[in-house]
Amino acid sequence: MSLLLTGSVNAHVGFPDGMDILRSGGSAIDAVVAAIRRVEANPGDHSVGYGGLPNLLGEVELDASIMDGRTLASGAVAALQGYQDAIDLARVVMDELPHVLVVGSGASRLAVEAGFTSRDLLTHEARAIWDAPFTEAGTADTYRVRMRELAGRLSQDPERPHDAHGTVNVIARDAAGNLASGVSTSGWAWKFPGRVGDSPIIGAGNYADNRWGAATCTGRGEMAQRCCTAHSVVSFMRCGMRLSDALRTAAGDLHQLEDDYRSEVNIIGVDREGRHGAVSTAPGKTYILMTGDSHDIVELERTYVPPNDGSPMESR
Ligand code: GLY
């Protein structure tokens, strides 16, 4: 079976670690965790882990999930503060608790119990980016108004969508042909405190099932949540679609959503034979790939799915 790692472009710092695990006969799930762990530790990436951009209060809150395509075992954490290793903590949820998703103070409690090292996740650089468009909080009411204004402005700004929606995702296939997928993010920058996106929601931003394939999302999580995008891609393959058609259909469904804060959604998929593909609802997007045959990480174009794709929603 050919070894494979694919993911969002910012995963490149973790691919060598992930591929080392696959090459030494390790599992897809171990490779995904190792690759994402590196990204979470990278202060230069303001969309994930340490150095991630904070919520409206200036607090960094992390979301992550992991899924094992052998068994559909899953673990996730959301709104985690004070610990950078969100993907490792998601693995703890999967392996050690009879739960799938643990959030907020419960996630921090679990990190303490599991012996994780706490850290102030807000770097000077991330604070400076956060400060630029937003300087005061105001009362609860104006706070919500400001959130809406800021979200609208940022989602329309071609220079800044990565600030608002960056995420890392990785799908791995090991020597036994097993699939695993992981996603980690500091979420939507300037988000309302406690906001949880698609990344830790199994079926929305992440899904893996050895029998059909795996899919992961980046971009505006609220849209992927409403369409259960990752699970949709895998279900479309289960119903007989090729990966490329499954990805395009899922992107078409996203285009049909009404959303005042519409922004790009990007999807990566791998089918059960190990074929990979990726789409975006925005043009010019890329993803990366590494196989067991080479030490190179290749950057590939995502297929752009334009807005006229998909079945229109019935009018309400
Ligand atoms: N897709 C990441 C997020 O919306 O939080």
Side-chain angles (χ1 to χ4, degrees):
M1 292 274 185
S2 51
L3 308 177
L4 174 138
L5 280 175
T6 186
S8 52
V9 172
N10 55 344
H12 70 95
V13 297
F15 270 23
D17 281 7
M19 189 51 77
D20 282 351
I21 288 175
L22 295 179
R23 286 203 176 105
S24 60
S27 67
I29 197 94
D30 285 343
V32 166
V33 171
I36 291 180
R37 185 187 296 136
R38 280 275 181 202
V39 187
E40 291 173 338
N42 176 13
D45 189 325
H46 296 303
S47 65
V48 181
Y50 178 61
L53 291 175
N55 65 19
L56 274 176
L57 294 175
E59 303 158 337
V60 181
E61 292 183 327
L62 305 182
D63 299 341
S65 67
I66 181 92
M67 187 158 186
D68 189 335
R70 292 174 293 195
T71 58
L72 310 193
S74 308
V77 292
L80 168 69
Q81 293 191 22
Y83 295 86
Q84 85 180 21
D85 299 309
I87 197 72
D88 279 288
L89 196 58
R91 178 83 185 262
V92 171
V93 174
M94 181 176 88
D95 289 346
E96 297 179 23
L97 292 183
H99 305 313
V100 169
L101 174 61
V102 176
V103 308
S105 58
S108 302
R109 175 186 289 265
L110 181 64
V112 174
E113 289 194 12
F116 284 47
T117 304
S118 65
R119 186 175 201 184
D120 180 358
L121 301 180
L122 184 61
T123 60
H124 291 300
E125 199 178 309
R127 175 179 282 280
I129 297 170
W130 175 78
D131 266 341
F134 175 79
T135 50
E136 60 189 47
T139 66
D141 263 358
T142 59
Y143 191 74
R144 284 200 297 276
V145 171
R146 291 181 69 88
M147 164 87 258
R148 292 172 66 88
E149 283 173 4
L150 195 55
R153 191 144 47 90
L154 290 164
S155 65
Q156 302 308 321
D157 183 346
E159 299 297 319
R160 306 197 73 107
H162 64 285
D163 289 350
H165 298 116
T167 297
V168 63
N169 53 33
V170 176
I171 300 174
R173 187 168 191 259
D174 63 26
N178 295 312
L179 295 171
S181 52
V183 185
S184 183
T185 186
S186 47
W188 198 359
W190 302 279
K191 62 192 170 187
F192 199 93
R195 174 267 186 188
V196 172
D198 60 321
S199 305
I201 306 299
I202 296 300
N206 187 2
Y207 205 75
D209 183 333
N210 270 5
R211 296 171 297 175
W212 320 109
T216 53
C217 304
T218 56
R220 176 152 165 73
E222 281 76 359
M223 293 170 66
Q225 283 173 309
R226 291 164 68 192
C227 286
C228 297
T229 297
H231 185 262
S232 293
V233 170
V234 174
S235 291
F236 294 151
M237 289 193 279
R238 179 178 190 160
C239 294
M241 280 191 199
R242 291 178 309 172
L243 173 63
S244 55
D245 293 331
L247 289 166
R248 180 178 287 276
T249 303
D253 286 348
L254 291 162
H255 275 307
Q256 300 309 316
L257 297 176
E258 286 182 17
D259 185 354
D260 290 344
Y261 306 101
R262 165 177 300 287
S263 185
E264 69 192 55
V265 178
N266 314 294
I267 319 167
I268 296 176
V270 174
D271 70 13
R272 62 182 170 190
E273 309 298 338
R275 288 178 286 252
H276 57 90
V279 293
S280 178
T281 59
K285 302 294 171 181
T286 57
Y287 70 112
I288 57 172
L289 176 76
M290 190 175 194
T291 65
D293 308 328
S294 167
H295 287 275
D296 295 335
I297 299 172
V298 186
E299 187 166 353
L300 302 165
E301 237 177 84
R302 293 176 189 256
T303 302
Y304 168 48
V305 180
N308 54 356
D309 263 53
S311 307
M313 309 285 289
E314 280 183 29
S315 56
R316 285 165 287 171

